[in-house]
Amino acid sequence: MKRTALFALMSLLLVCWGSNASGQTLTSLWQFGGLSNDADGGNPGAALIQGRDGNFYGTSGWTNEVHCTVFRITPQGTLTTLWNFGSLSNNADGTSLQSGLIQGRDGDFYGTAMRGGTNRFCGTAYKITSAGTLTPLWQFGSLSNAADGVGPNGLVQGNDGNFYGTTAGLGELGSHGTVFRLTPQGSLTTLYSFGNVAGEGVDPYASLVQGSDGNFYGTTLGGGQFNRGTVFMITPSGTLTTLWQFTGGTDGEYPISALVEGRDGDFYGTTQHVGNNVGTIFKITSAGTLTTLWQFTSGADGVGSDGALVQGSDGNFYGTTALGHIGASYFGGTVFQITPAGTLTTLWRFPYIPNFTNGVNPYAGLVQGSDGAFYGTTFSGGTNGGGAYGTIFRFCVPLNPPANQISSLSPANSDIVVGVPSVAGETYQLQYRADLAAGDWSNIPDACVSNSPGALLTVTNFGGALAPQRFYRFDITP
């Protein structure tokens, strides 16, 4: 539990500003391959999440069927391996962890393995506790002729409490991918099978996002009129609508990352680097109007943004690229910022020379922590195994306004309206007391936001009479 405060005498406004650093700084928190016999795993390819306990959770073993783990790491860099895959007999827990975790409403974590399992190695869905107890929930390939799909891509928990996801298809067993619903108890229903309608998308390689309208949105790697991928919407009951068919022109081609819904209600995503097309960043409305925000140049701005974007507390989007070069000098990827209007700024370049200490090739996206910093992984680099296993890093960039720092206080009749740039997933409870030096902080009823979507929150002290003096703060729970 953490707290941020704005102390206000009714005639005086004092805002506590702060940042993690005076400039952009990147700190390596963990070098994979550092535990004996590689017990910490290696080659992470999925984004981290921050749990309600304030720690970060993730997976390793993107393309490696040996070094597959679920891990927990503190913001200070202490890593604990929670599970080594292959621990269950007959590979029932799965392998090849190409997607990350989500934390369910019950506090446990849920994820998928793209390979392995007891049915033709078609992948698994699992849950794991913060203490490291893993339970397989579904073995893909269980339904006749793999009607449940092959190669799951991660999960999202819907408003109804069930989990929703996609399978990639991978061209195996005649499958071109599916959308499915999975109950917390492990009962799976296939909502949609791709490849049965001419011109629709096929082979989704990214997880879904549930929009504010209750529908789910996703991308397919292939298919569409030009066979270069699509953006689709699907209802919780399984009615699918193709929103966009990529052409391979200025809109890009072959999207491989998940979408994110911005605070404006539009969806933002990326297309990958294929051939002469070095990738794009786009936004698309729920009605299917697509706007290309940025076309990568294969130069100083990087190449290959394969991870999902994240919207920071300042309203801008942040992401990573896997490669890049300035002239003949190559580097191992970037961290970038892009405004909703499409102005891109390269914030950090991962150098190949003089060493790989900070890692290279950050294929996955970022997550903003409750401290305002961004946390991510690199697929390769680091100090172990000749730079073969990858790293975990923290990236600090001063935000304006900083996350979790109260930015405004204004009277509204007899009420006080307090604004704070929030971090998604946290709970914000407005508190007050009359004396800064003594007394207890009191919760203000009905001035609480649970599971913040991330944005500038405005919380009102409803019905509060104007006092001669009162101090305010937020009690924040991750």
Side-chain angles (χ1 to χ4, degrees), residues 252-253 271-280 295-299 301-305 321:
E253 58 187 352
T271 65
Q272 63 174 327
H273 170 212
V274 179
N276 293 326
N277 193 325
V278 293
T280 65
Q295 299 181 66
F296 288 96
T297 64
S298 186
D301 56 350
V303 176
S305 180
T321 66

Side-chain angles (χ1 to χ4, degrees), residues 141-307:
S142 299
L143 303 182
S144 60
N145 198 31
D148 52 348
V150 178
N153 299 306
L155 302 170
V156 61
Q157 191 165 27
N159 295 335
D160 59 3
N162 295 313
F163 298 93
Y164 292 78
T166 64
T167 64
L170 305 177
E172 299 177 30
L173 305 175
S175 172
H176 285 289
T178 65
V179 177
F180 63 85
R181 178 177 61 237
L182 179 69
T183 69
Q185 296 75 35
S187 177
L188 186 141
T189 301
T190 299
L191 298 178
Y192 196 85
S193 295
F194 291 94
N196 297 317
V197 177
E200 74 175 0
V202 295
D203 303 329
Y205 261 75
S207 58
L208 301 168
V209 59
Q210 188 170 30
S212 54
D213 60 2
N215 296 315
F216 295 90
Y217 294 79
T219 60
T220 66
L221 181 65
Q225 180 181 356
F226 307 98
N227 199 30
R228 296 176 187 271
T230 69
V231 177
F232 66 86
M233 175 187 72
I234 187 168
T235 67
S237 60
T239 300
L240 187 138
T241 302
T242 299
L243 298 178
W244 187 262
Q245 303 176 65
F246 287 93
T247 67
T250 57
D251 57 346
E253 58 187 352
Y254 308 123
I256 199 171
S257 63
L259 301 171
V260 58
E261 185 176 18
R263 296 167 197 166
D264 56 5
D266 294 335
F267 296 86
Y268 293 75
T270 65
T271 65
Q272 63 174 327
H273 170 212
V274 179
N276 293 326
N277 193 325
V278 293
T280 65
I281 300 173
F282 64 88
K283 74 173 180 179
I284 186 170
T285 69
S286 59
T289 300
L290 186 141
T291 303
T292 300
L293 298 177
W294 188 261
Q295 299 181 66
F296 288 96
T297 64
S298 186
D301 56 350
V303 176
S305 180
D306 295 340

Side-chain angles (χ1 to χ4, degrees), residues 399-415:
L399 302 181
N400 185 23
N404 288 342
Q405 298 290 317
I406 291 175
S407 59
S408 65
L409 182 78
S410 58
N413 297 320
S414 61
D415 299 325

Side-chain angles (χ1 to χ4, degrees), residues 3-10 12-17 404-410 416-421 430-433 436 441 470-475:
R3 299 173 176 89
T4 185
L6 177 146
F7 305 116
L9 304 176
M10 303 319 294
L12 180 64
L13 182 66
L14 299 175
V15 181
C16 302
W17 294 96
N404 288 342
Q405 298 290 317
I406 291 175
S407 59
S408 65
L409 182 78
S410 58
I416 296 296
V417 180
V418 184
V420 59
L430 186 61
Q431 298 180 327
Y432 77 94
R433 72 185 190 191
L436 184 58
W441 290 94
R470 183 169 282 184
F471 302 90
Y472 292 93
R473 76 176 185 185
F474 279 100
D475 188 67

Side-chain angles (χ1 to χ4, degrees), residues 298-355:
S298 186
D301 56 350
V303 176
S305 180
D306 295 340
L309 301 171
V310 60
Q311 191 166 24
S313 57
D314 60 351
N316 296 313
F317 293 89
Y318 293 81
T320 59
T321 66
L323 297 167
H325 68 88
I326 301 175
S329 299
Y330 284 81
F331 51 87
T334 69
V335 175
F336 64 82
Q337 172 203 81
I338 186 167
T339 68
T343 299
L344 186 139
T345 303
T346 299
L347 301 176
W348 189 268
R349 295 185 180 93
F350 292 85
Y352 281 124
I353 299 172
N355 55 55

